[in-house]
C-alpha cells in the first residue's frame, strides 16, 4: 500500500471534527491517525477513527495498548500553538518539566525525580537524546529540546519502560514522531508567528517545510527549517538593562526515505538546533517580577545535532528494524555566582580561607586575598561541555496479527561527555565577562565521563479466548562507566587545589522485568494490570580526595504496579483511569560524607520512596463542532526511609515529599468550530492548566529549600481558516490573566542564598499565520 498522504488537515471542519472526536481514544489528547501499512514506521492514515501507536515497538491500536499512554496529533499540537515538548505538560497527567530555560530542562513523570542520569527517556523519532553530565553528574537536568513543527504525533508513555527502552525510562518515555517524506506528493507548509510580551520585547518565529518526491514511489526528501526570536522580559536592576533574555534559536532537519521494494524502507535523518540566549532566571528577593540584580552574565548557548539511519524489512510474518543514531551536543552554560563571595572580603575571611599560622593574616597575605575576593564578586561559572552519544538497536517483531505477538532485540550505547568548569571575572561596569584568557580564570577543572551500555530485550504476549492477553518482558543490561578529572587551577573559596588527572571505573549488570494482564470486555472497554521495573545506570563521583571506596554508586531501580481502565462509555465520550504505586529503592541522591574529617559532596545510594497516584483522562463531543478535553493527575511522592547510611548523609528523611512534584496537575481544553461560509471556517479555543505547590528540596530544615507556589495558566485562541485546511490565521493570548506562574525556584551557596526563579512569560499577545501548498 502506498502512502496516500491523507491528513486530518485536508478535510472540512465538520468532517475533521467528526474524525477527531471518533479517534479520541480516552487519552485526553487528540490522537494521531494510523496507517496500516506503516505501523512499524509510525505513519498514519484515517481508519474509521482509530489510532495506531508504536509504543511497544510494533503497531498497536491505542485502545488495545495496555499502557498508560497519551498521544497527540501534529494537527492538534498546531491548533494549540505548541512548539516545544515542554508544552505537552498541558495535555498529559503526571508529566512535569522543571524548566530552567532552553537546554536546561528536567523531565519528570509520575514523580520519579532525582540527581544523576535521566529518569525519563526522550526520543525524536527513533533517536534518544542525552543531557550533559556537568560537574555534578546530573545529566537529567539538561534535556535538549528540538522544535516541534511538522509533527505526525507525540506519545507520552507513563510509568517505567525499562524492558523496551532501557535505562533512563524508569519514570516513562516521551516520543516526538515527525512527519516522514512522502514519495507521491509534492507539498510545502509555512507558518509565521508574531508576538508581544507584556513589559518586554517583541518575539517572532518562522517555520517552513517542503516535501520533494525524487523518484515516484521510491525516493523522497522532506526538509524543515525554523527560526525563533525570543521576546525578552527579564530586567536587570543593577545595570538598568531591559529584556536581557531576548535570544534566538534556529533549527532544521532533512529526512530522506528510500523504498526500493515494497518490503524495504530506509530512512536517513539529520537534525540540528541551536539556542543562544541569556538566562531567563530572576531573583525573587528583588521584590519585582522578572527582575534580577545579578552582577555578571548568565546564559545558555546550545548546539545539538542528530544523525540517524533506520532500516526496516518486512519478511511477512516478521519485521526487522535496525536503528543507528549519533547524537552530538556542544553547549556552554554560564551562571552568575557573584553573590557566593559576598562578605568574604574581610580580614576574618582571609583567616577562614587561608588559615594562616597564628590565626591572623599578615598584610602581605591580606592584600592579595582582598584583591582576589573583590575581583570575583563580579564573576560567573563558565562551563563549556559536550556529549557524543552513539546508539545502535536491532530488533525483530511479529506482524502476522495472530494471538501470539513478540519483539526481540539488542542494544549498544557509547556515550562520551566532558565539561570544563571555569570561574571567570566580569567587568564591574557592565557585568560582561572578560575575555577568556588565563589572567581572568580563577578556577579551572575538567571532567570526562564515558558510559558504555549493552542490552538484550524481549517482550512476548499471547491472547487467550480473544479476550485475555498476557504479556511478559525482560531486559538484560550491562554498563561500564569511567570518570576522570583534573584541576588545573584551584580556588581557595572552593577549598580546591591543583591536582593531577585521576580516573575511576565502575561496572554493573542485571535484569528488569515486566508483567501485564489485560482483558477486553468489548471494543469499548478494557482493563489491565501491570507490574513493571525501571532502572538507570550508576556511576563514579569525581571528587578530588574522595576515598576510593566511596567513588562508585550503583544503579537504582523501582517497581511500578498499576491498574487501568480504557473505555468508551457512550458514543463520542472516552474515559481512561489509572491508579498506580511505585516502590523506589537504592535511590541515587546528592549527599555528603558523614563523620569527622574532610566532608565531600557526592552522589550515593541511600533511602527509598513510595509514589502513589491516580490519572484520569476524559474526552467528549457533546455537540457537533465542540471538543472538550480534561486531564487530572494526583501524585503523592514521599520518602519511606531516611537518606542516611554509615558513610553518607543526605537531606531527606522519611515522610519528606520529593522535590518539584506537585500533588495535583489539572488541565483541559475546549474548542468550538463552525462554518462561516462555504469558503471560510472559524474556531475559538481555550486551554487551561493548574499545577499545585511543590518544594525545591527534600528537608524542611534545609536553608536552601524553597516553596514553589501553585499556579494556573489560561491561553485563548480565535481564528479563521479554509475548510480544506490550506491556510489559517489565528489571534492568541497566552497567560491570559498575566499570572505570576513560577515553575521553579532554587537556592545555593553559589547564589549567596538568594532564590533563583524561573517561570512562564507574562501575558503574550500574538498573531499566527499558516499556509500549506500542494
Amino acid at each position: 500500500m502506498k502512502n496516500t498522504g491523507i491528513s486530518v488537515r485536508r478535510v472540512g471542519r465538520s468532517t475533521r471534527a467528526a474524525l477527531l472526536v471518533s479517534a479520541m481514544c480516552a487519552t485526553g489528547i487528540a490522537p494521531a491517525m494510523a496507517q496500516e501499512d506503516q505501523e512499524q514506521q509510525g505513519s498514519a492514515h484515517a481508519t474509521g477513527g482509530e489510532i495506531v501507536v508504536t509504543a511497544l515497538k510494533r503497531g498497536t491500536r491505542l485502545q488495545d495498548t495496555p499502557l498508560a499512554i497519551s498521544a497527540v496529533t501534529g494537527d492538534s499540537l498546531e491548533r494549540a500553538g505548541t512548539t516545544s515538548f515542554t508544552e505537552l505538560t498541558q495535555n498529559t497527567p503526571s508529566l512535569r518539566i522543571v524548566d530552567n530555560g532552553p537546554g536546561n530542562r528536567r523531565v519528570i513523570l509520575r514523580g520519579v525525580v532525582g540527581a544523576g542520569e535521566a529518569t525519563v527517556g526522550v526520543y525524536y523519532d527513533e533517536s534518544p537524546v542525552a543531557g550533559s553530565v556537568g560537574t555534578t553528574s546530573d545529566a537529567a537536568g539538561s534535556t535538549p529540546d528540538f522544535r516541534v513543527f511538522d509533527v505526525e504525533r507525540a506519545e507520552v508513555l507513563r510509568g517505567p519502560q525499562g524492558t523496551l527502552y532501557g535505562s533512563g525510562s524508569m519514570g516513562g518515555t516521551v516520543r516526538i514522531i515527525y512527519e516522514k517524506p512522502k514519495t507521491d506528493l509534492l507539498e510545502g507548509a509555512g507558518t509565521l508567528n508574531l508576538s508581544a510580551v507584556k513589559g518586554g520585547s517583541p518575539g517572532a518565529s518562522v517555520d517552513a517545510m517542503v516535501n520533494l518526491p525524487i523518484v515516484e514511489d521510491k525516493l523522497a526528501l522532506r526538509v524543515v527549517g525554523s527560526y525563533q526570536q525570543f521576546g525578552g522580559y527579564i530586567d536587570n536592576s543593577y545595570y538598568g538593562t531591559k529584556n536581557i533574555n531576548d535570544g534566538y534559536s534556529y533549527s532544521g532537519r532533512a529526512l530522506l526515505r528510500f523504498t526500493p521494494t515494497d518490503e524495504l524502507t530506509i530512512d536517513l535523518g539529520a537534525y540540528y538546533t541551536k539556542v543562544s540566549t541569556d538566562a531567563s532566571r530572576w531573583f525573587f528577593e528583588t521584590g519585582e517580577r522578572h527582575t534580577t540584580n545579578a552582577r555578571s552574565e548568565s546564559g545558555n548557548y546550545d548546539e545539538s545535532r542528530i544523525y540517524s539511519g533506520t532500516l526496516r524489512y518486512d519478511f511477512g510474518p516478521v519485521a526487522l528494524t535496525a536503528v543507528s543514531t549519533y547524537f552530538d551536543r556542544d553547549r556552554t552554560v554560564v551562571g552568575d555566582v557573584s553573590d557566593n563571595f559576598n562578605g568574604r572580603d574581610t580580614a576574618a575571611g582571609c583567616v577562614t580561607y587561608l588559615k594562616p599560622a597564628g590565626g591572623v593574616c599578615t598584610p602581605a597575605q591580606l592584600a592579595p586575598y582582598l584583591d582576589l575576593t573583590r575581583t570575583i564578586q563580579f564573576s560567573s561559572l563558565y562551563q563549556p561541555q559536550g556529549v557524543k552519544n552513539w546508539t545502535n538497536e536491532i530488533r525483530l517483531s511479529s506482524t502476522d496479527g495472530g494471538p501470539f505477538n513478540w519483539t526481540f532485540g539488542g542494544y549498544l550505547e557509547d556515550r562520551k561527555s566532558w565539561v570544563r568548569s571555569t570561574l571567570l571575572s566580569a567587568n564591574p561596569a557592565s557585568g560582561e565577562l572578560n575575555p577568556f584568557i588565563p589572567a581572568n580564570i580563577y578556577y579551572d577543572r575538567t571532567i570526562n565521563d564515558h558510559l558504555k551500555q549493552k542490552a538484550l530485550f524481549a517482550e512476548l504476549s499471547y491472547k487467550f479466548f480473544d479476550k485475555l492477553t498476557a504479556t511478559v518482558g525482560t531486559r538484560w543490561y550491562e554498563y561500564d562507566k569511567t570518570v576522570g578529572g583534573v584541576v588545573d587551577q584551584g580556588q581557595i573559596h572552593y577549598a580546591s587545589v591543583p591536582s593531577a588527572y585521576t580516573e575511576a571505573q565502575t561496572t554493573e549488570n542485571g535484569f528488569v522485568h515486566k508483567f501485564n494482564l489485560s482483558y477486553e470486555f468489548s471494543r469499548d472497554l478494557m482493563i489491565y494490570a501491570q507490574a513493571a521495573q525501571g532502572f538507570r545506570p550508576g556511576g563514579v563521583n569525581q571528587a578530588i580526595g574522595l576515598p576510593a571506596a566511596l567513588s562508585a554508586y550503583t544503579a537504582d531501580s523501582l517497581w511500578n504496579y498499576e491498574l487501568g481502565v480504557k473505555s468508551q462509555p457512550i458514543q463520542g465520550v472516552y474515559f481512561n483511569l489509572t491508579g498506580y504505586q511505585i516502590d523506589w529503592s537504592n535511590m541515587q541522591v546528592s549527599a555528603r560524607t558523614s563523620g569527622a574529617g574532610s566532608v565531600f559532596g557526592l552522589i550515593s545510594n541511600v533511602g527509598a520512596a513510595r509514589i502513589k497516584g491516580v490519572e484520569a483522562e476524559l474526552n467528549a463531543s457533546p455537540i457537533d463542532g465542540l471538543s472538550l478535553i480534561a486531564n487530572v493527575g494526583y501524585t503523592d511522592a514521599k520518602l519511606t526511609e531516611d537518606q542516611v547510611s554509615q558513610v553518607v548523609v543526605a537531606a531527606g528523611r522519611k515522610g519528606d515529599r520529593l522535590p518539584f512534584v506537585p500533588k495535583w496537575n489539572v488541565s483541559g481544553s475546549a474548542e468550538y468550530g463552525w462554518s462561516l461560509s462555504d469558503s471560510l471556517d472559524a474556531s475559538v479555543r481555550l486551554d487551561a492548566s493548574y499545577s499545585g505547590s511543590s518544594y525545591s528540596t527534600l528537608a524542611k530544615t534545609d536553608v536552601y529549600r524553597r516553596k514553589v507556589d501553585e499556579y494556573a495558566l489560561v491561553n485563548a485562541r480565535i481564528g479563521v481558516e479554509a475548510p480544506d485546511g490550506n491556510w489559517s490565521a489565528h489571534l492568541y493570548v497566552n497567560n491570559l490573566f498575566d499570572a505570576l506562574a513560577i515553575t521553579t525556584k532554587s537556592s545555593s551557596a553559589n547564589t549567596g542564598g538568594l532564590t533563583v526563579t524561573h517561570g512562564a512569560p507574562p501575558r503574550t499577545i500574538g498573531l499566527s499565520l499558516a499556509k500549506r501548498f500542494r
Side-chain angles (χ1 to χ4, degrees), residues 29 106 136 154 192 218-219 273 312-313 324-325 349 374 428 452-453 479 531 543 562 584 647 720 723:
I29 308 174
R106 184 185 303 275
T136 57
L192 172 65
K218 299 293 183 184
L219 185 65
T273 187
R312 301 176 182 88
Y313 195 89
S324 184
T325 297
R374 289 166 182 168
K452 299 181 72 172
Q453 289 195 81
Y479 70 83
E562 67 182 81
W584 187 0
V647 294
V720 294

Side-chain angles (χ1 to χ4, degrees), residues 108-129:
I108 305 169
L109 272 165
R110 290 188 170 176
V112 181
V113 56
E117 297 289 337
T119 61
V120 175
V122 177
Y123 288 73
Y124 291 91
D125 289 325
E126 291 270 7
S127 301
V129 294

Side-chain angles (χ1 to χ4, degrees), residues 106-333:
R106 184 185 303 275
V107 187
I108 305 169
L109 272 165
R110 290 188 170 176
V112 181
V113 56
E117 297 289 337
T119 61
V120 175
V122 177
Y123 288 73
Y124 291 91
D125 289 325
E126 291 270 7
S127 301
V129 294
S132 49
V133 296
T135 57
T136 57
S137 300
D138 189 18
S142 58
T143 303
D145 183 5
F146 287 77
R147 191 164 175 83
V148 175
F149 174 73
D150 195 42
V151 170
E152 180 190 306
R153 72 176 180 275
E155 296 178 3
V156 181
L157 288 61
R158 307 190 300 276
Q161 309 297 321
T163 54
L164 289 180
Y165 291 92
S167 64
S169 288
M170 62 192 300
T173 300
V174 177
R175 305 176 68 219
I176 305 298
I177 300 167
Y178 289 115
E179 290 279 9
K180 300 301 184 295
K182 300 178 176 65
T183 59
D184 59 352
L185 180 66
L186 175 63
E187 67 172 345
T191 64
L192 172 65
N193 185 79
L194 304 173
S195 62
V197 183
K198 180 182 178 182
S201 58
S205 66
V206 178
D207 300 277
M209 175 277 293
V210 61
N211 185 89
L212 298 171
I214 300 173
V215 178
E216 186 176 1
D217 297 333
K218 299 293 183 184
L219 185 65
L221 175 69
R222 197 174 187 96
V223 180
V224 175
S226 302
Y227 175 81
Q228 182 177 13
Q229 176 69 44
F230 304 124
Y233 55 90
I234 305 297
D235 298 335
N236 186 301
S237 59
Y238 189 89
Y239 293 106
T241 50
K242 300 289 186 181
N243 310 324
I244 61 174
N245 63 320
D246 56 350
Y248 67 89
S249 72
Y250 55 85
S251 60
R253 66 182 178 272
L255 305 178
L256 183 70
R257 169 162 286 183
F258 180 42
T259 53
T261 69
D262 290 341
E263 294 79 20
L264 177 63
T265 299
I266 299 173
D267 284 314
L268 300 177
Y271 310 70
Y272 177 81
T273 187
K274 181 176 182 178
V275 176
S276 179
T277 178
D278 284 354
S280 57
R281 71 180 202 169
W282 51 284
F283 287 137
F284 193 78
E285 285 79 7
T286 63
E288 299 182 41
R289 282 190 179 194
H290 308 119
T291 300
T292 179
N293 57 5
R295 301 192 296 273
S296 185
E297 289 184 29
S298 295
N300 183 60
Y301 310 94
D302 197 351
E303 194 170 9
S304 296
R305 296 159 290 270
I306 299 174
Y307 307 100
S308 67
T310 303
L311 180 149
R312 301 176 182 88
Y313 195 89
D314 185 0
F315 291 95
V318 177
L320 168 71
T321 302
V323 183
S324 184
T325 297
Y326 184 74
F327 173 69
D328 185 12
R329 185 183 190 189
D330 294 299
R331 65 192 294 251
T332 299
V333 179

Side-chain angles (χ1 to χ4, degrees), residues 32-110:
M33 314 304 283
Q35 191 163 12
E36 297 168 333
D37 64 332
Q38 295 185 1
E39 291 177 351
Q40 295 296 320
Q41 303 171 27
S43 296
H45 84 161
T47 56
E50 302 300 341
I51 174 175
V52 169
V53 295
T54 53
L56 299 179
K57 297 197 174 181
R58 54 184 173 84
T60 57
R61 176 178 174 260
L62 181 61
Q63 279 298 84
D64 296 333
T65 306
L67 294 176
I69 175 175
S70 301
V72 55
T73 58
D75 181 76
S76 295
L77 292 170
E78 181 181 319
R79 299 184 70 80
T82 300
T83 59
S84 168
F85 82 93
T86 60
E87 294 161 346
L88 295 177
T89 56
Q90 300 176 7
N91 308 93
T92 306
S94 303
L95 175 62
R96 168 82 168 162
I97 296 178
V98 181
D99 191 351
N100 292 318
N104 289 290
R105 292 170 170 134
R106 184 185 303 275
V107 187
I108 305 169
L109 272 165
R110 290 188 170 176

Side-chain angles (χ1 to χ4, degrees), residues 365-482:
Q365 293 172 317
L366 181 61
Y369 169 81
L370 294 178
D371 181 62
L372 163 68
T373 306
R374 289 166 182 168
T375 297
I376 59 178
Q377 284 179 337
F378 294 80
S379 61
S380 290
L381 285 174
Y382 184 94
Q383 298 177 326
Q385 52 201 277
V387 182
K388 298 183 185 301
N389 194 31
W390 187 29
T391 60
N392 295 275
E393 180 172 299
I394 185 168
R395 61 182 184 264
L396 290 169
S397 299
S398 60
T399 60
D400 59 8
F404 181 51
N405 289 282
W406 51 267
T407 297
F408 295 97
Y411 174 82
L412 292 172
E413 178 181 16
D414 190 333
R415 187 192 73 189
K416 296 179 180 179
S417 303
W418 67 275
V419 56
R420 182 185 181 192
S421 182
T422 61
L423 178 67
L424 302 185
S425 63
N427 185 339
S430 64
E432 295 180 358
L433 293 178
N434 286 330
F436 195 81
I437 57 177
N440 289 318
I441 300 176
Y442 294 88
Y443 174 70
D444 194 349
R445 180 188 182 195
T446 300
I447 297 174
N448 297 312
D449 185 294
H450 188 190
L451 173 68
K452 299 181 72 172
Q453 289 195 81
K454 53 187 175 183
L456 297 172
F457 58 89
E459 189 163 297
L460 303 90
S461 67
Y462 192 87
K463 180 175 284 190
F464 300 88
F465 323 118
D466 204 33
K467 295 289 185 180
L468 176 67
T469 301
T471 301
V472 295
T474 190
R475 187 182 190 97
W476 171 83
Y477 67 87
E478 181 176 277
Y479 70 83
D480 296 282
K481 195 166 191 181
T482 304

